[in-house]
């Protein structure tokens, strides 16, 4: 029979959700569950007993215990282990009758178990078999926590071993309620131990199994004072120098992720060198993003790759000579068309090749004069291959070359179809001829060009208005002067001047790298959160160009498995990357 027991003075249960994972552990309601079954195969073997205990703040709020009739004979070895016989369960309810009461008892509590996957898989199998949805409660596994927090003190992490070693009030007996009570005691021991790692909230506890084994786990103490709010964090080395700057919607969660889910190669070196973590809270995620890029530009942290002064930043432009050609410049030209700043010279070279493939400008570096005539005995190599014009041999019509220069100027300033159309046709032709490597190289050039042009147009669009006053989803207000944040208004109505940013220039002036980095930062934030913002005032025109630059990316296609045909040996449909580089252009 079902016999739930609850104490009379029970506080209302605390619901936990993805938006409330920072709930202090003392306020979190845990429900410890343990099952006895006829075997170890969910969906094949069945439940014979259910035990559960609900706890919060170290106090027991209630228990749930019932035998379950599996509808079949209990194996002898299971009877020897648990003591549960067929006679015990013959009058017990079936699992279909137990599940509604159990789900009501669980409510929104955090599910806890020792090897929780086992118990959860049996419950989900029973729910699914009865036409119900699987459990959605978030879970904590005391076995995983024990392996991180207690493994050095015990020969193994079995529940019985831990109960004896930790001298728990309840000892497991392979009966559901006894094991659940012992697991609840173990959970409280683990919570005490985890506090030494700076675990104070539910989100910390969820990540603890991975964090505890990190080689730099002792530095988790640096995160204890980080708030669960937007802001910027600064990692410093032993000399106090800032080595990394980052932003976060939840500062504590983001920084602690370095000790668990972030597996990038540089993270290990970064944490090894880190000796202190400072932070600055911001009222909004937009201010955090702007503050991050400004601090990176001001402090030049070693481990930041994007936004550092002097890193990357080049412009694709035309030379100032009689027969202009494409060139990469370290600084933006004072006059003339230019596309940039580009992240690196390697990317700039790809874009130059993309424009050069579409517009027949010369590629040789011979110095030419409008009056001096040819300086070579014959056309250059590129001209001999028929991919470009060669005025150095004196065989090029000046009018036609001037038209090509005008096309290149237009391509650098926004007429993307001058490049996209011929390169798309070339990709299709090369693919049809099964020249896949050349088609892929052409695709990469077009993708680099389209990405750079999209970035440039986003900057120009945001830079055009003299003033934009925008209300963010957080309730704060920002004023942008030609795209640069100059003033912030907090939700309480107080205005303050933004920290020093890049020099604000008119839209007619060349775009510097520092200015572009901030404009892209703001534009990316607007793209993501703009639908939830409110525009209070705009001086000028704030509109995106149409049509936008194309989006170029490889198209994933299903193909036959190279060895076994359409399906692999397990009967699953198999896909392999096609040799043909299909292109998506939109």
């Amino acid at each position: 029979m079902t016999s739930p027991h609850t104490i009379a003075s029970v506080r209302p249960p605390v619901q936990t959700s993805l938006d409330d994972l920072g709930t202090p552990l003392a306020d979190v309601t845990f429900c410890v569950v343990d099952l006895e079954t006829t075997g170890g195969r969910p969906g094949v073997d069945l439940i014979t007993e259910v035990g559960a205990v609900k706890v919060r703040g170290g106090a027991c709020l209630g228990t749930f215990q019932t035998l379950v009739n599996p509808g079949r004979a209990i194996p002898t070895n299971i009877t020897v282990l648990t003591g549960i016989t067929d006679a015990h369960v013959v009058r017990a309810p079936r699992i279909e009758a137990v599940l509604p009461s159990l789900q009501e008892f669980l409510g929104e509590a955090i599910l806890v178990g020792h090897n929780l996957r086992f118990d959860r898989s049996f419950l989900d199998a029973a729910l699914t078999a009865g036409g119900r949805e699987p459990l959605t409660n978030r879970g904590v596994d005391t076995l995983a926590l024990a392996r991180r927090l207690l493994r050095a003190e015990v020969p193994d992490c079995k529940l019985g071993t831990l109960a004896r070693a930790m001298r728990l009030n309840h000892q497991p007996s392979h009966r559901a309620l006894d094991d659940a009570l012992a697991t609840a005691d173990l959970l409280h021991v683990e919570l005490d131990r985890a506090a030494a790692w700076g675990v104070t909230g539910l989100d910390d506890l969820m990540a603890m199994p991975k964090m505890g084994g990190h080689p730099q786990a002792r530095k988790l103490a640096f995160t204890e004072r980080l708030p669960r709010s937007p802001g910027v964090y600064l990692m410093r080395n032993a000399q106090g120098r800032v080595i990394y700057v980052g932003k976060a919607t939840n500062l504590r969660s983001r920084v602690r992720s370095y000790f668990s889910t972030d597996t990038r190669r540089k993270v290990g070196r970064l944490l090894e060198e880190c000796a202190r973590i400072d932070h600055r809270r911001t009222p909004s995620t937009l201010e955090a993003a702007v503050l991050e890029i400004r601090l990176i530009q001001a402090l030049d942290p070693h481990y930041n790759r994007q936004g550092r002064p002097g890193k990357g930043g080049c412009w694709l432009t035309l030379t100032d000579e009689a027969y202009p050609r494409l060139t990469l410049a370290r600084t933006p030209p004072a006059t003339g068309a230019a596309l940039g700043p580009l992240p690196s010279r390697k990317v700039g070279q790809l874009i130059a090749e993309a424009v050069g493939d579409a517009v027949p400008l010369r590629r040789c570096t011979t110095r030419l004069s409008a009056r001096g005539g040819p300086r070579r005995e014959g056309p250059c190599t590129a001209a001999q291959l028929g991919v470009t014009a060669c005025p150095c041999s004196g065989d090029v019509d000046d009018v036609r070359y001037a038209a090509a220069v005008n096309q290149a100027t237009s391509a650098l300033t926004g007429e993307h179809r001058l490049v996209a159309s011929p390169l798309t046709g070339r990709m299709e032709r090369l693919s049809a001829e099964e020249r896949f490597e050349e088609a892929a190289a052409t695709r990469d050039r077009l993708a680099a060009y389209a990405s750079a042009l999209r970035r440039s147009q986003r900057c120009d669009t945001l830079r055009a208005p003299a003033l934009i006053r925008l209300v963010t989803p957080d309730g704060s207000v920002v004023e942008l002067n030609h795209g640069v944040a100059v003033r912030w208004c907090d939700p309480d109505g107080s205005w303050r001047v933004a920290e020093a940013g890049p020099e604000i220039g008119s839209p007619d002036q060349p775009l510097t790298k520092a200015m572009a980095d901030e404009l892209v930062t703001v534009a990316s934030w607007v793209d993501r959160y703009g639908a939830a913002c409110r525009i209070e005032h705009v001086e000028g025109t704030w509109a995106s160009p149409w049509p936008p630059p194309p989006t170029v990316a490889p198209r994933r296609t299903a193909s036959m498995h190279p060895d076994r045909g359409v399906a692999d040996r397990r009967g699953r449909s198999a896909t392999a990357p096609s040799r043909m580089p299909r292109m998506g252009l939109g």
Side-chain angles (χ1 to χ4, degrees):
M1 294 294 292
T2 304
S3 56
H5 309 285
T6 57
I7 56 180
S9 56
V10 176
R11 293 178 293 173
V14 178
Q15 291 189 356
T16 55
S17 65
L18 288 172
D19 299 324
D20 192 31
L21 290 179
T23 303
L25 291 174
D27 296 332
V28 175
T29 301
F30 296 99
C31 189
V32 185
V33 176
D34 188 84
L35 305 178
E36 300 302 331
T37 65
T38 61
R41 300 167 297 174
V44 177
D45 294 310
L46 301 174
I47 299 170
T48 59
E49 188 177 27
V50 177
V53 55
K54 188 178 291 187
V55 295
R56 181 174 61 232
C60 177
L61 305 182
T63 61
F64 182 104
Q65 187 274 333
T66 180
L67 290 168
V68 177
N69 186 343
R72 67 175 65 167
I74 298 176
T76 303
N77 63 318
I78 299 297
T79 297
V80 172
L81 179 67
T82 66
I84 301 175
T85 66
D86 293 334
H88 287 137
V89 300
V90 67
R91 296 192 179 187
R94 299 296 295 270
I95 190 63
E96 294 83 2
V98 173
L99 288 175
S101 299
L102 179 60
Q103 286 187 289
E104 183 179 356
F105 184 79
L106 290 176
E108 298 291 333
I110 301 300
L111 200 61
V112 179
H114 200 71
N115 190 12
L116 180 61
R117 187 192 311 180
F118 175 87
D119 301 291
R120 187 163 202 153
S121 63
F122 270 89
L123 287 175
D124 286 344
L127 288 166
T128 303
R132 295 172 176 266
E133 293 294 324
L135 293 175
T136 59
N137 303 60
R138 295 180 66 80
V140 172
D141 192 342
T142 55
L143 175 60
L145 289 174
R147 287 170 176 164
R148 288 290 177 249
L149 299 171
L150 306 171
R151 187 64 184 89
E153 304 175 37
V154 291
D156 58 66
C157 290
K158 296 178 181 179
L159 183 59
T161 304
L162 292 167
R164 290 189 297 272
M166 299 296 116
R167 298 182 180 180
L168 302 181
N169 293 332
H170 298 89
Q171 295 294 315
S173 63
H174 293 293
R175 292 300 298 267
L177 185 57
D178 287 346
D179 290 4
L181 289 168
T183 303
D185 292 342
L186 177 61
L187 173 66
H188 291 139
V189 171
E190 292 173 339
L191 293 182
D192 289 339
R193 296 293 184 92
W197 298 93
V199 174
T200 60
L202 182 58
D203 54 347
D204 298 339
L205 188 65
M206 297 288 186
M208 185 64 207
K210 294 181 180 179
M211 289 181 181
H214 196 280
Q216 302 296 329
R218 59 185 176 82
K219 295 185 178 181
L220 276 169
F222 296 163
T223 68
E224 289 183 12
R225 297 185 179 181
L226 293 178
R228 293 176 173 85
S229 60
V232 172
Y233 56 94
L234 301 91
M235 294 185 174
R236 299 180 182 271
N237 60 15
Q239 292 72 41
R241 177 178 173 79
V242 176
I243 56 176
Y244 186 78
V245 176
K247 68 178 184 300
T249 302
N250 182 320
L251 283 168
R252 183 183 179 90
S253 177
R254 177 67 188 98
V255 176
R256 290 179 73 90
S257 72
Y258 285 103
F259 297 88
S260 58
T261 58
D262 200 324
T263 58
R264 290 175 295 170
R265 184 181 303 175
K266 74 171 184 179
V267 170
R269 299 193 302 270
L270 172 62
L271 293 178
E272 184 177 357
E273 192 172 343
C274 178
R276 193 176 90 220
I277 300 177
D278 296 332
H279 73 278
R280 295 179 58 178
R281 298 179 65 170
T282 58
S284 68
T285 55
L286 174 59
E287 185 171 354
V290 171
L291 181 59
E292 177 199 35
I293 193 64
R294 292 184 180 182
L295 288 173
I296 291 173
Q297 292 168 352
L299 301 174
D300 191 17
H302 172 68
Y303 284 96
N304 284 95
R305 294 184 178 179
Q306 302 296 328
R308 291 180 62 187
K311 299 296 181 180
C314 62
W315 284 258
L316 181 63
T317 184
L318 293 166
T319 57
D320 185 16
E321 51 187 327
Y323 295 94
R325 57 186 173 82
L326 293 169
T327 187
L328 292 172
R330 291 185 176 274
T331 57
T335 59
L339 180 58
L342 307 174
S344 66
R345 294 188 67 85
K346 182 178 180 179
V347 173
Q349 188 60 43
L350 280 176
I351 299 172
E353 292 171 358
V355 178
D357 287 345
V359 182
L361 294 179
R362 72 185 183 99
R363 302 185 183 182
C364 60
T365 58
T366 304
R367 297 291 298 178
L368 300 176
S369 170
R371 296 177 298 173
R375 298 294 182 88
R376 300 174 63 107
E377 296 181 355
C380 61
T381 302
Q384 293 179 36
L385 294 174
V387 297
T388 183
C390 184
C392 54
S393 65
D395 297 333
V396 173
D397 186 339
D398 289 352
V399 175
R400 290 185 177 179
Y401 196 88
V405 171
N406 290 335
Q407 281 187 320
T409 300
S410 298
L412 294 178
T413 54
E415 286 293 334
H416 54 81
R417 284 172 290 193
L418 294 173
V419 175
S421 295
L423 262 62
T424 301
R426 182 180 180 184
M427 286 189 292
E428 293 174 350
R429 184 176 66 257
L430 291 170
S431 295
E433 296 172 359
E434 297 189 0
R435 296 160 64 182
F436 303 125
E437 289 78 10
E438 294 176 69
T442 303
R443 178 203 63 208
D444 293 343
R445 294 168 187 166
L446 179 55
Y449 167 75
S451 177
L453 190 60
R454 192 179 304 109
R455 172 187 167 103
S456 177
Q457 290 185 348
R458 292 170 75 196
C459 291
D460 293 342
T461 297
L462 191 61
R463 195 183 184 196
L467 176 67
I468 299 174
R469 187 179 298 120
L470 194 67
V471 182
T472 71
D474 309 273
S476 59
V477 184
V478 59
E479 284 190 353
L480 304 173
N481 184 353
H482 292 296
V484 178
V486 292
R487 288 208 307 164
W488 303 97
C489 181
D490 296 331
D492 62 4
S494 58
W495 283 92
R496 52 192 169 84
V497 178
E499 291 199 12
E503 182 178 353
I504 302 173
S506 69
D508 299 330
Q509 295 177 335
L511 189 65
T512 64
K513 181 180 182 298
M515 182 71 170
D517 287 340
E518 176 150 335
L519 289 174
V520 169
T521 297
V522 176
S524 298
W525 186 92
V526 171
D527 287 347
R528 183 174 182 181
Y529 299 104
C533 296
R534 178 167 54 86
I535 302 174
E536 281 196 343
H537 181 69
V538 175
E539 291 182 10
T541 302
W542 188 17
S544 300
W546 186 263
T551 299
V552 185
R555 185 179 298 159
R556 294 184 180 274
T557 57
S559 65
M560 183 174 293
H561 193 282
D563 298 323
R564 309 183 194 93
V566 176
D568 66 9
R569 63 183 178 183
R570 297 182 181 179
R572 300 171 301 186
S573 60
T575 58
S578 173
R579 292 179 58 212
M580 183 174 180
R582 302 282 184 92
M583 276 64 67
L585 190 63

